[in-house]
Amino acid sequence: MTWTTIRKRPAGDPPPNLPDYAAARANFTWAAARAELEGLPGGGLNIACEAVDRQVHAGRGAAIALRWLGKTGERREFSYAELATLSDRFAALLRQLGIGKGERVCALLGRIPELYITALGTLKAGAVFCPLFSAFGPEPVRVRLHKSDARLLVTTTTLYARKVQAQRAELPALAHVLLTDLDAAETPPAATQSFQHLLDSAPTCGITLDTRAEDNALLHFTSGTTGSPKGAVHVHEAVVAHRLSGRLALDLRPGDIYWCTADPGWVTGMSYGIIAPLVNGATLVVDEAEFDARRWYSILEQERVNIWYTAPTAIRMLMKVGAEAAQGHDFSALRLMASVGEPLNPEAVVWGQETFGQPFHDTWWQTETGAIMIANTRSQDVRPGSMGRPLPGIDAAIVRRLPGGGIAVLDIDQPGELALRCGWPSQFRGYLHDAARYQECFVDGWYLSGDLASRDADGYFWFLGRADDVIKTSGHLIGPFEVENALLEHPAVAEAGMIGKPDAFAGNIIKAFVALRPGFTPSDALRKELIGFARTRLGPAVAPRELEFMADLPKTRSGKIMRRLLRARELGLAPGDVSGLESDDAEQAES
Ligand code: ATP
Ligand code: MG
């Protein structure tokens, strides 16, 4: 099926932050973007200062920075001034505990206010913040605390008892554990302290910030979709790109109500769940609860969310629940809906248009890029299935690695590896303990992303698949995205994943795995129907030859389909690193 471009009519909304793409690119310099930041006296730079203190200095201290929605209906709000003070105090307490510049502070917390205070305070202290997703099991937690040489961990009593305590002896660098939920009268368990008590007794006066732009600030582990998670290191300079991309790709402006559904355990939840919106003066909506379609629709309506940043898996879950759940809600406050993390199938883009009156705007980036690189922005027409165009300041190209070294830049519509010209501020500065792997990502001044894509004549980029997931069948090179998209157009299909299965004749055949929408049950007839449906759309060479039904596809905890696990199961291979696998259950896959 050919999807038509969605032309957007000007609404009553304010004009977009990026009205003229070509002019913005032509006139762009990173020096000018950097000059928009406040900076520190003496030329330093600090992400948290730009995120909260700057708003206070600009007279916006009373504006709401964080609106927290608890699982059971509680509501708490923090102004920019309050967040500035609390993060100052957390920074002061880190200094009192002897946490030095560049040392790692980890948080193993659900989406609660203490997480935000810890992140910002750590950055202010000049230590490196490393978020851990609270649903990780004990082993992934231990591995990450160990790899990062964490000196201090902020967590809760329950998470500590379940996931850390028994392994504490194996973590000699971990000098301090602070628990967020102890009552004032409660004695902390052995070798822990009360977060609240220490915070309350920390000095109230501001602390001196002394970070430089090139100082390490953040350590993010990748999702582990293609293999073992890598620890990507980012510096304070990254905030230049956070601010710019938040403004241009997400259209953020002061006073916006903004909801990013990603957990800060992943890079999206940090770069766009905390930093970019605060740097741009927005109010963060933070929902402590897990996904629930009805709850989400209510939040969008009742909080009057203006900008919503979510992910394809969540969108497909909403689609699976059915459009009825969205009916009757008032989404008129929504100015922009955007998505990241996985390929966004055209069906989902168009569903956005039908359900909310506007399409989802796909954006592309990675843990390594630190910020959005390619986006469909508010002012431009959306081509469903395309990731959009590179933001001002970003040079992207489609390249091929040459056998003798070096790369060749490919022409329009040629499939190849998506590469970015080095030098953007949020470019990662290393993989933790893996210098060789880091070096392999760079050729002739370009960063090679490991994703395959093509670029059309108008400069829009189209995702084909991860280099590891692309398969060769009967001489054709096939990316999973187009096969999965075709299946997702069928009304019975909620999720689809594709792998190559070795075949003596064709080299590989395509096998698809499908989860059905409610109301459909697996049967041979439906299998045949789906294969036939894909054939008419894709042709016999590209259509799946085999199709298996599953209740759910295996996903990383950040919501990405793990095709390597489908492949391993199908071929009876070892599953590899499953530390990032979604609950059900990492141990099962390991056994
Ligand atoms: P690992 O590197 O450990 O295998 P990961 O690549 O999934 O994990 P992330 O950095 O969280 O870890 O994800 C970045 C990847 O997500 C991209 O390289 C790309 O494959 C995919 N991705 C992100 N946004 C998009 C998008 N808009 N369209 C298609 N794929 C996307
Ligand atoms: Mg990756």
Side-chain angles (χ1 to χ4, degrees), residues 222-230 266-267 339-344 362-368 387 449-451 463 466 556 558 560:
T222 59
S223 295
T225 314
T226 53
S228 292
K230 298 149 275 184
W266 308 106
V267 72
S339 163
V340 70
E342 272 218 297
L344 181 65
D362 195 14
T363 65
W364 176 91
W365 59 291
Q366 309 177 301
T367 309
E368 290 86 342
M387 304 189 289
S449 70
D451 282 352
F463 184 79
R466 291 163 183 267
T556 62
S558 56
K560 296 165 199 273

PDB file of all heavy atoms in Angstrom, residues 222-230 266-267 339-344 362-368 387 449-451 463 466 556 558 560, ligand 1:
ATOM      1  N   THR A 222      22.725   0.974  26.709  1.00  0.00           N
ATOM      2  CA  THR A 222      21.813   0.813  25.577  1.00  0.00           C
ATOM      3  C   THR A 222      20.779  -0.263  25.916  1.00  0.00           C
ATOM      4  O   THR A 222      20.916  -0.965  26.918  1.00  0.00           O
ATOM      5  CB  THR A 222      22.579   0.407  24.295  1.00  0.00           C
ATOM      6  OG1 THR A 222      23.257  -0.831  24.555  1.00  0.00           O
ATOM      7  CG2 THR A 222      23.588   1.469  23.899  1.00  0.00           C
ATOM      8  N   SER A 223      19.796  -0.438  25.044  1.00  0.00           N
ATOM      9  CA  SER A 223      18.676  -1.337  25.356  1.00  0.00           C
ATOM     10  C   SER A 223      19.054  -2.807  25.295  1.00  0.00           C
ATOM     11  O   SER A 223      18.327  -3.649  25.796  1.00  0.00           O
ATOM     12  CB  SER A 223      17.526  -1.086  24.383  1.00  0.00           C
ATOM     13  OG  SER A 223      17.035   0.207  24.573  1.00  0.00           O
ATOM     14  N   GLY A 224      20.158  -3.150  24.621  1.00  0.00           N
ATOM     15  CA  GLY A 224      20.527  -4.568  24.512  1.00  0.00           C
ATOM     16  C   GLY A 224      19.689  -5.306  23.488  1.00  0.00           C
ATOM     17  O   GLY A 224      19.469  -6.494  23.596  1.00  0.00           O
ATOM     18  N   THR A 225      19.226  -4.595  22.460  1.00  0.00           N
ATOM     19  CA  THR A 225      18.391  -5.242  21.441  1.00  0.00           C
ATOM     20  C   THR A 225      19.236  -6.164  20.559  1.00  0.00           C
ATOM     21  O   THR A 225      18.811  -7.235  20.177  1.00  0.00           O
ATOM     22  CB  THR A 225      17.708  -4.173  20.559  1.00  0.00           C
ATOM     23  OG1 THR A 225      17.176  -3.175  21.414  1.00  0.00           O
ATOM     24  CG2 THR A 225      16.602  -4.768  19.720  1.00  0.00           C
ATOM     25  N   THR A 226      20.449  -5.718  20.245  1.00  0.00           N
ATOM     26  CA  THR A 226      21.279  -6.493  19.316  1.00  0.00           C
ATOM     27  C   THR A 226      22.345  -7.314  20.023  1.00  0.00           C
ATOM     28  O   THR A 226      23.017  -8.108  19.399  1.00  0.00           O
ATOM     29  CB  THR A 226      21.965  -5.550  18.303  1.00  0.00           C
ATOM     30  OG1 THR A 226      22.652  -4.526  19.042  1.00  0.00           O
ATOM     31  CG2 THR A 226      20.971  -4.915  17.380  1.00  0.00           C
ATOM     32  N   GLY A 227      22.557  -7.125  21.306  1.00  0.00           N
ATOM     33  CA  GLY A 227      23.596  -7.866  22.017  1.00  0.00           C
ATOM     34  C   GLY A 227      23.708  -7.343  23.428  1.00  0.00           C
ATOM     35  O   GLY A 227      22.750  -6.784  23.960  1.00  0.00           O
ATOM     36  N   SER A 228      24.879  -7.484  24.033  1.00  0.00           N
ATOM     37  CA  SER A 228      25.044  -6.987  25.398  1.00  0.00           C
ATOM     38  C   SER A 228      24.915  -5.476  25.425  1.00  0.00           C
ATOM     39  O   SER A 228      25.460  -4.796  24.553  1.00  0.00           O
ATOM     40  CB  SER A 228      26.433  -7.347  25.921  1.00  0.00           C
ATOM     41  OG  SER A 228      26.495  -8.720  26.085  1.00  0.00           O
ATOM     42  N   PRO A 229      24.216  -4.944  26.429  1.00  0.00           N
ATOM     43  CA  PRO A 229      24.095  -3.481  26.513  1.00  0.00           C
ATOM     44  C   PRO A 229      25.466  -2.830  26.640  1.00  0.00           C
ATOM     45  O   PRO A 229      26.350  -3.355  27.313  1.00  0.00           O
ATOM     46  CB  PRO A 229      23.280  -3.277  27.792  1.00  0.00           C
ATOM     47  CG  PRO A 229      22.587  -4.573  28.023  1.00  0.00           C
ATOM     48  CD  PRO A 229      23.473  -5.634  27.477  1.00  0.00           C
ATOM     49  N   LYS A 230      25.618  -1.693  25.954  1.00  0.00           N
ATOM     50  CA  LYS A 230      26.879  -0.950  26.014  1.00  0.00           C
ATOM     51  C   LYS A 230      26.660   0.282  26.875  1.00  0.00           C
ATOM     52  O   LYS A 230      25.584   0.865  26.838  1.00  0.00           O
ATOM     53  CB  LYS A 230      27.292  -0.530  24.593  1.00  0.00           C
ATOM     54  CG  LYS A 230      27.547  -1.709  23.665  1.00  0.00           C
ATOM     55  CD  LYS A 230      27.223  -1.393  22.213  1.00  0.00           C
ATOM     56  CE  LYS A 230      25.757  -1.604  21.900  1.00  0.00           C
ATOM     57  NZ  LYS A 230      25.371  -1.407  20.512  1.00  0.00           N
ATOM     58  N   TRP A 266      16.000   4.771  30.631  1.00  0.00           N
ATOM     59  CA  TRP A 266      16.489   4.728  29.240  1.00  0.00           C
ATOM     60  C   TRP A 266      16.826   6.142  28.809  1.00  0.00           C
ATOM     61  O   TRP A 266      16.303   7.114  29.345  1.00  0.00           O
ATOM     62  CB  TRP A 266      15.423   4.157  28.304  1.00  0.00           C
ATOM     63  CG  TRP A 266      14.928   2.872  28.819  1.00  0.00           C
ATOM     64  CD1 TRP A 266      13.724   2.633  29.405  1.00  0.00           C
ATOM     65  CD2 TRP A 266      15.647   1.642  28.897  1.00  0.00           C
ATOM     66  NE1 TRP A 266      13.638   1.339  29.811  1.00  0.00           N
ATOM     67  CE2 TRP A 266      14.816   0.698  29.511  1.00  0.00           C
ATOM     68  CE3 TRP A 266      16.928   1.236  28.484  1.00  0.00           C
ATOM     69  CZ2 TRP A 266      15.198  -0.612  29.738  1.00  0.00           C
ATOM     70  CZ3 TRP A 266      17.305  -0.071  28.709  1.00  0.00           C
ATOM     71  CH2 TRP A 266      16.457  -0.985  29.323  1.00  0.00           C
ATOM     72  N   VAL A 267      17.614   6.222  27.760  1.00  0.00           N
ATOM     73  CA  VAL A 267      18.106   7.541  27.358  1.00  0.00           C
ATOM     74  C   VAL A 267      16.965   8.506  27.010  1.00  0.00           C
ATOM     75  O   VAL A 267      17.037   9.698  27.308  1.00  0.00           O
ATOM     76  CB  VAL A 267      19.139   7.396  26.214  1.00  0.00           C
ATOM     77  CG1 VAL A 267      18.461   7.003  24.909  1.00  0.00           C
ATOM     78  CG2 VAL A 267      19.985   8.632  26.055  1.00  0.00           C
ATOM     79  N   SER A 339       7.188  10.231  18.324  1.00  0.00           N
ATOM     80  CA  SER A 339       7.500   8.844  18.659  1.00  0.00           C
ATOM     81  C   SER A 339       8.970   8.568  18.424  1.00  0.00           C
ATOM     82  O   SER A 339       9.597   9.177  17.557  1.00  0.00           O
ATOM     83  CB  SER A 339       6.642   7.942  17.762  1.00  0.00           C
ATOM     84  OG  SER A 339       7.140   6.625  17.742  1.00  0.00           O
ATOM     85  N   VAL A 340       9.517   7.639  19.183  1.00  0.00           N
ATOM     86  CA  VAL A 340      10.911   7.218  18.992  1.00  0.00           C
ATOM     87  C   VAL A 340      11.123   5.818  19.542  1.00  0.00           C
ATOM     88  O   VAL A 340      10.358   5.358  20.378  1.00  0.00           O
ATOM     89  CB  VAL A 340      11.900   8.162  19.697  1.00  0.00           C
ATOM     90  CG1 VAL A 340      11.827   8.056  21.217  1.00  0.00           C
ATOM     91  CG2 VAL A 340      13.338   7.881  19.237  1.00  0.00           C
ATOM     92  N   GLY A 341      12.171   5.174  19.087  1.00  0.00           N
ATOM     93  CA  GLY A 341      12.645   3.947  19.724  1.00  0.00           C
ATOM     94  C   GLY A 341      12.613   2.735  18.839  1.00  0.00           C
ATOM     95  O   GLY A 341      13.399   1.817  18.994  1.00  0.00           O
ATOM     96  N   GLU A 342      11.700   2.734  17.902  1.00  0.00           N
ATOM     97  CA  GLU A 342      11.531   1.595  17.011  1.00  0.00           C
ATOM     98  C   GLU A 342      10.934   2.159  15.741  1.00  0.00           C
ATOM     99  O   GLU A 342      10.388   3.265  15.751  1.00  0.00           O
ATOM    100  CB  GLU A 342      10.479   0.650  17.591  1.00  0.00           C
ATOM    101  CG  GLU A 342      10.993  -0.386  18.532  1.00  0.00           C
ATOM    102  CD  GLU A 342      10.223  -1.673  18.269  1.00  0.00           C
ATOM    103  OE1 GLU A 342       9.008  -1.696  18.471  1.00  0.00           O
ATOM    104  OE2 GLU A 342      10.846  -2.636  17.824  1.00  0.00           O
ATOM    105  N   PRO A 343      10.982   1.367  14.663  1.00  0.00           N
ATOM    106  CA  PRO A 343      10.310   1.856  13.458  1.00  0.00           C
ATOM    107  C   PRO A 343       8.821   2.097  13.717  1.00  0.00           C
ATOM    108  O   PRO A 343       8.170   1.273  14.364  1.00  0.00           O
ATOM    109  CB  PRO A 343      10.517   0.728  12.450  1.00  0.00           C
ATOM    110  CG  PRO A 343      11.126  -0.397  13.187  1.00  0.00           C
ATOM    111  CD  PRO A 343      11.676   0.109  14.463  1.00  0.00           C
ATOM    112  N   LEU A 344       8.347   3.213  13.238  1.00  0.00           N
ATOM    113  CA  LEU A 344       6.931   3.567  13.426  1.00  0.00           C
ATOM    114  C   LEU A 344       6.213   3.226  12.130  1.00  0.00           C
ATOM    115  O   LEU A 344       6.422   3.894  11.110  1.00  0.00           O
ATOM    116  CB  LEU A 344       6.812   5.059  13.748  1.00  0.00           C
ATOM    117  CG  LEU A 344       5.404   5.571  13.989  1.00  0.00           C
ATOM    118  CD1 LEU A 344       4.802   4.941  15.248  1.00  0.00           C
ATOM    119  CD2 LEU A 344       5.399   7.090  14.139  1.00  0.00           C
ATOM    120  N   ASP A 362       7.425  10.809  13.673  1.00  0.00           N
ATOM    121  CA  ASP A 362       8.528   9.916  14.013  1.00  0.00           C
ATOM    122  C   ASP A 362       9.814  10.724  14.184  1.00  0.00           C
ATOM    123  O   ASP A 362      10.025  11.729  13.489  1.00  0.00           O
ATOM    124  CB  ASP A 362       8.699   8.883  12.889  1.00  0.00           C
ATOM    125  CG  ASP A 362       9.560   7.715  13.320  1.00  0.00           C
ATOM    126  OD1 ASP A 362       9.803   7.549  14.533  1.00  0.00           O
ATOM    127  OD2 ASP A 362       9.989   6.944  12.431  1.00  0.00           O
ATOM    128  N   THR A 363      10.649  10.267  15.123  1.00  0.00           N
ATOM    129  CA  THR A 363      11.985  10.850  15.301  1.00  0.00           C
ATOM    130  C   THR A 363      12.966   9.698  15.424  1.00  0.00           C
ATOM    131  O   THR A 363      12.607   8.628  15.910  1.00  0.00           O
ATOM    132  CB  THR A 363      12.071  11.693  16.589  1.00  0.00           C
ATOM    133  OG1 THR A 363      11.904  10.843  17.728  1.00  0.00           O
ATOM    134  CG2 THR A 363      11.030  12.796  16.627  1.00  0.00           C
ATOM    135  N   TRP A 364      14.175   9.916  14.977  1.00  0.00           N
ATOM    136  CA  TRP A 364      15.192   8.848  15.067  1.00  0.00           C
ATOM    137  C   TRP A 364      16.406   9.346  15.836  1.00  0.00           C
ATOM    138  O   TRP A 364      16.900  10.451  15.586  1.00  0.00           O
ATOM    139  CB  TRP A 364      15.642   8.405  13.662  1.00  0.00           C
ATOM    140  CG  TRP A 364      16.755   7.377  13.731  1.00  0.00           C
ATOM    141  CD1 TRP A 364      16.608   6.028  13.767  1.00  0.00           C
ATOM    142  CD2 TRP A 364      18.170   7.624  13.780  1.00  0.00           C
ATOM    143  NE1 TRP A 364      17.841   5.416  13.863  1.00  0.00           N
ATOM    144  CE2 TRP A 364      18.818   6.368  13.867  1.00  0.00           C
ATOM    145  CE3 TRP A 364      18.953   8.774  13.769  1.00  0.00           C
ATOM    146  CZ2 TRP A 364      20.211   6.240  13.940  1.00  0.00           C
ATOM    147  CZ3 TRP A 364      20.338   8.655  13.852  1.00  0.00           C
ATOM    148  CH2 TRP A 364      20.952   7.388  13.930  1.00  0.00           C
ATOM    149  N   TRP A 365      16.849   8.529  16.741  1.00  0.00           N
ATOM    150  CA  TRP A 365      18.142   8.742  17.406  1.00  0.00           C
ATOM    151  C   TRP A 365      18.479   7.514  18.207  1.00  0.00           C
ATOM    152  O   TRP A 365      17.725   6.542  18.190  1.00  0.00           O
ATOM    153  CB  TRP A 365      18.125  10.012  18.265  1.00  0.00           C
ATOM    154  CG  TRP A 365      17.109  10.084  19.371  1.00  0.00           C
ATOM    155  CD1 TRP A 365      15.758  10.188  19.230  1.00  0.00           C
ATOM    156  CD2 TRP A 365      17.362  10.060  20.775  1.00  0.00           C
ATOM    157  NE1 TRP A 365      15.165  10.233  20.464  1.00  0.00           N
ATOM    158  CE2 TRP A 365      16.120  10.153  21.439  1.00  0.00           C
ATOM    159  CE3 TRP A 365      18.513   9.995  21.564  1.00  0.00           C
ATOM    160  CZ2 TRP A 365      16.004  10.168  22.829  1.00  0.00           C
ATOM    161  CZ3 TRP A 365      18.396  10.023  22.934  1.00  0.00           C
ATOM    162  CH2 TRP A 365      17.159  10.103  23.558  1.00  0.00           C
ATOM    163  N   GLN A 366      19.605   7.534  18.891  1.00  0.00           N
ATOM    164  CA  GLN A 366      20.089   6.368  19.637  1.00  0.00           C
ATOM    165  C   GLN A 366      20.698   6.832  20.947  1.00  0.00           C
ATOM    166  O   GLN A 366      21.012   8.013  21.112  1.00  0.00           O
ATOM    167  CB  GLN A 366      21.238   5.689  18.887  1.00  0.00           C
ATOM    168  CG  GLN A 366      21.003   5.356  17.460  1.00  0.00           C
ATOM    169  CD  GLN A 366      22.253   4.754  16.831  1.00  0.00           C
ATOM    170  OE1 GLN A 366      23.311   5.376  16.810  1.00  0.00           O
ATOM    171  NE2 GLN A 366      22.125   3.543  16.319  1.00  0.00           N
ATOM    172  N   THR A 367      20.948   5.865  21.843  1.00  0.00           N
ATOM    173  CA  THR A 367      21.668   6.184  23.069  1.00  0.00           C
ATOM    174  C   THR A 367      22.975   6.914  22.715  1.00  0.00           C
ATOM    175  O   THR A 367      23.353   7.896  23.358  1.00  0.00           O
ATOM    176  CB  THR A 367      21.992   4.885  23.843  1.00  0.00           C
ATOM    177  OG1 THR A 367      20.792   4.136  23.984  1.00  0.00           O
ATOM    178  CG2 THR A 367      22.560   5.180  25.209  1.00  0.00           C
ATOM    179  N   GLU A 368      23.638   6.441  21.682  1.00  0.00           N
ATOM    180  CA  GLU A 368      24.938   7.003  21.307  1.00  0.00           C
ATOM    181  C   GLU A 368      24.838   8.446  20.798  1.00  0.00           C
ATOM    182  O   GLU A 368      25.770   9.225  20.980  1.00  0.00           O
ATOM    183  CB  GLU A 368      25.580   6.145  20.199  1.00  0.00           C
ATOM    184  CG  GLU A 368      26.048   4.767  20.647  1.00  0.00           C
ATOM    185  CD  GLU A 368      24.941   3.699  20.595  1.00  0.00           C
ATOM    186  OE1 GLU A 368      23.740   4.084  20.543  1.00  0.00           O
ATOM    187  OE2 GLU A 368      25.278   2.511  20.625  1.00  0.00           O
ATOM    188  N   MET A 387      11.310   8.574   8.713  1.00  0.00           N
ATOM    189  CA  MET A 387      11.774   9.110  10.003  1.00  0.00           C
ATOM    190  C   MET A 387      11.865  10.630   9.967  1.00  0.00           C
ATOM    191  O   MET A 387      12.057  11.270  10.991  1.00  0.00           O
ATOM    192  CB  MET A 387      13.147   8.529  10.331  1.00  0.00           C
ATOM    193  CG  MET A 387      13.135   7.008  10.333  1.00  0.00           C
ATOM    194  SD  MET A 387      14.664   6.305  10.964  1.00  0.00           S
ATOM    195  CE  MET A 387      15.811   6.671   9.646  1.00  0.00           C
ATOM    196  N   SER A 449      25.966   4.257  12.366  1.00  0.00           N
ATOM    197  CA  SER A 449      24.957   3.972  13.398  1.00  0.00           C
ATOM    198  C   SER A 449      24.608   2.505  13.561  1.00  0.00           C
ATOM    199  O   SER A 449      24.004   2.129  14.546  1.00  0.00           O
ATOM    200  CB  SER A 449      23.669   4.741  13.064  1.00  0.00           C
ATOM    201  OG  SER A 449      23.068   4.153  11.913  1.00  0.00           O
ATOM    202  N   GLY A 450      24.911   1.672  12.549  1.00  0.00           N
ATOM    203  CA  GLY A 450      24.477   0.272  12.624  1.00  0.00           C
ATOM    204  C   GLY A 450      23.036   0.081  12.171  1.00  0.00           C
ATOM    205  O   GLY A 450      22.523  -1.030  12.185  1.00  0.00           O
ATOM    206  N   ASP A 451      22.366   1.152  11.771  1.00  0.00           N
ATOM    207  CA  ASP A 451      21.004   1.055  11.225  1.00  0.00           C
ATOM    208  C   ASP A 451      21.064   1.204   9.704  1.00  0.00           C
ATOM    209  O   ASP A 451      21.856   2.010   9.191  1.00  0.00           O
ATOM    210  CB  ASP A 451      20.108   2.185  11.768  1.00  0.00           C
ATOM    211  CG  ASP A 451      19.641   1.907  13.195  1.00  0.00           C
ATOM    212  OD1 ASP A 451      19.881   0.802  13.704  1.00  0.00           O
ATOM    213  OD2 ASP A 451      19.046   2.821  13.791  1.00  0.00           O
ATOM    214  N   PHE A 463      13.753   4.196   7.276  1.00  0.00           N
ATOM    215  CA  PHE A 463      14.400   3.125   8.022  1.00  0.00           C
ATOM    216  C   PHE A 463      14.146   1.776   7.346  1.00  0.00           C
ATOM    217  O   PHE A 463      13.030   1.490   6.925  1.00  0.00           O
ATOM    218  CB  PHE A 463      13.824   3.107   9.442  1.00  0.00           C
ATOM    219  CG  PHE A 463      14.453   2.122  10.373  1.00  0.00           C
ATOM    220  CD1 PHE A 463      15.677   2.399  10.970  1.00  0.00           C
ATOM    221  CD2 PHE A 463      13.818   0.924  10.675  1.00  0.00           C
ATOM    222  CE1 PHE A 463      16.261   1.494  11.855  1.00  0.00           C
ATOM    223  CE2 PHE A 463      14.398   0.022  11.562  1.00  0.00           C
ATOM    224  CZ  PHE A 463      15.619   0.312  12.149  1.00  0.00           C
ATOM    225  N   ARG A 466      17.819  -2.828  11.373  1.00  0.00           N
ATOM    226  CA  ARG A 466      19.161  -2.796  11.931  1.00  0.00           C
ATOM    227  C   ARG A 466      20.050  -3.677  11.062  1.00  0.00           C
ATOM    228  O   ARG A 466      19.575  -4.696  10.548  1.00  0.00           O
ATOM    229  CB  ARG A 466      19.142  -3.367  13.335  1.00  0.00           C
ATOM    230  CG  ARG A 466      18.424  -2.473  14.305  1.00  0.00           C
ATOM    231  CD  ARG A 466      18.109  -3.293  15.514  1.00  0.00           C
ATOM    232  NE  ARG A 466      17.346  -2.521  16.473  1.00  0.00           N
ATOM    233  CZ  ARG A 466      17.897  -1.829  17.473  1.00  0.00           C
ATOM    234  NH1 ARG A 466      19.212  -1.813  17.626  1.00  0.00           N
ATOM    235  NH2 ARG A 466      17.155  -1.156  18.300  1.00  0.00           N
ATOM    236  N   THR A 556      12.631  -5.814  24.596  1.00  0.00           N
ATOM    237  CA  THR A 556      13.476  -5.267  25.643  1.00  0.00           C
ATOM    238  C   THR A 556      12.565  -4.503  26.595  1.00  0.00           C
ATOM    239  O   THR A 556      11.428  -4.156  26.255  1.00  0.00           O
ATOM    240  CB  THR A 556      14.502  -4.272  25.087  1.00  0.00           C
ATOM    241  OG1 THR A 556      13.780  -3.189  24.496  1.00  0.00           O
ATOM    242  CG2 THR A 556      15.403  -4.902  24.047  1.00  0.00           C
ATOM    243  N   SER A 558      12.779  -1.598  27.254  1.00  0.00           N
ATOM    244  CA  SER A 558      12.481  -0.294  26.683  1.00  0.00           C
ATOM    245  C   SER A 558      11.485  -0.429  25.530  1.00  0.00           C
ATOM    246  O   SER A 558      11.196   0.545  24.843  1.00  0.00           O
ATOM    247  CB  SER A 558      13.758   0.412  26.232  1.00  0.00           C
ATOM    248  OG  SER A 558      14.472  -0.390  25.329  1.00  0.00           O
ATOM    249  N   LYS A 560      11.469  -2.618  22.709  1.00  0.00           N
ATOM    250  CA  LYS A 560      11.864  -2.930  21.329  1.00  0.00           C
ATOM    251  C   LYS A 560      11.771  -4.424  21.076  1.00  0.00           C
ATOM    252  O   LYS A 560      12.189  -5.228  21.922  1.00  0.00           O
ATOM    253  CB  LYS A 560      13.309  -2.494  21.083  1.00  0.00           C
ATOM    254  CG  LYS A 560      13.510  -1.009  21.193  1.00  0.00           C
ATOM    255  CD  LYS A 560      14.993  -0.733  21.312  1.00  0.00           C
ATOM    256  CE  LYS A 560      15.262   0.612  21.872  1.00  0.00           C
ATOM    257  NZ  LYS A 560      15.306   1.666  20.892  1.00  0.00           N
TER     258      LYS A 560
HETATM  259  P1  ATP B   1      21.672  -2.114  21.508  1.00  0.00           P
HETATM  260  O1  ATP B   1      22.509  -1.049  20.880  1.00  0.00           O
HETATM  261  O2  ATP B   1      22.179  -2.547  22.835  1.00  0.00           O
HETATM  262  O3  ATP B   1      21.364  -3.250  20.578  1.00  0.00           O
HETATM  263  P2  ATP B   1      19.402  -0.416  21.035  1.00  0.00           P
HETATM  264  O4  ATP B   1      20.112  -0.041  19.789  1.00  0.00           O
HETATM  265  O5  ATP B   1      17.999  -0.893  20.904  1.00  0.00           O
HETATM  266  O6  ATP B   1      20.240  -1.489  21.864  1.00  0.00           O
HETATM  267  P3  ATP B   1      18.882   2.258  21.878  1.00  0.00           P
HETATM  268  O7  ATP B   1      20.038   3.160  21.781  1.00  0.00           O
HETATM  269  O8  ATP B   1      17.922   2.433  23.000  1.00  0.00           O
HETATM  270  O9  ATP B   1      19.419   0.792  22.045  1.00  0.00           O
HETATM  271  O10 ATP B   1      18.033   2.299  20.558  1.00  0.00           O
HETATM  272  C1  ATP B   1      18.465   2.913  19.375  1.00  0.00           C
HETATM  273  C2  ATP B   1      17.951   2.125  18.194  1.00  0.00           C
HETATM  274  O11 ATP B   1      16.521   2.111  18.186  1.00  0.00           O
HETATM  275  C3  ATP B   1      18.332   2.697  16.869  1.00  0.00           C
HETATM  276  O12 ATP B   1      19.646   2.339  16.485  1.00  0.00           O
HETATM  277  C4  ATP B   1      17.270   2.097  15.953  1.00  0.00           C
HETATM  278  O13 ATP B   1      17.603   0.778  15.559  1.00  0.00           O
HETATM  279  C5  ATP B   1      16.047   2.079  16.847  1.00  0.00           C
HETATM  280  N1  ATP B   1      15.249   3.291  16.563  1.00  0.00           N
HETATM  281  C6  ATP B   1      15.174   4.414  17.291  1.00  0.00           C
HETATM  282  N2  ATP B   1      14.321   5.306  16.726  1.00  0.00           N
HETATM  283  C7  ATP B   1      13.879   4.729  15.596  1.00  0.00           C
HETATM  284  C8  ATP B   1      12.991   5.138  14.545  1.00  0.00           C
HETATM  285  N3  ATP B   1      12.370   6.309  14.570  1.00  0.00           N
HETATM  286  N4  ATP B   1      12.788   4.284  13.529  1.00  0.00           N
HETATM  287  C9  ATP B   1      13.396   3.074  13.492  1.00  0.00           C
HETATM  288  N5  ATP B   1      14.233   2.634  14.443  1.00  0.00           N
HETATM  289  C10 ATP B   1      14.478   3.443  15.488  1.00  0.00           C
END
